[in-house]
Amino acid sequence: MTLDIPLPEYQQQLQSLNALVVARTGLPLYNLRKEIRLK
């Protein structure tokens, strides 16, 4: 997968989306992925 935007911007957008989902549903999100280490 390649990103069309810088990684920090992508991460910020993803955090914002996650926060929106939590706010609208009132449910916690769970990370089901294996641990990923960013360099």
Side-chain angles (χ1 to χ4, degrees):
M1 177 173 98
T2 60
L3 297 176
D4 293 333
I5 59 175
L7 183 59
E9 185 178 340
Y10 170 79
Q11 291 172 327
Q12 176 59 43
Q13 288 181 9
L14 192 56
Q15 267 189 318
S16 296
L17 177 60
N18 290 343
L20 177 65
V21 170
V22 169
R24 295 297 279 280
T25 65
L27 301 172
L29 295 180
Y30 295 99
N31 185 354
L32 301 177
R33 297 179 295 174
K34 293 181 181 180
E35 183 178 334
I36 297 173
R37 295 182 185 180
L38 297 177
K39 293 182 180 181

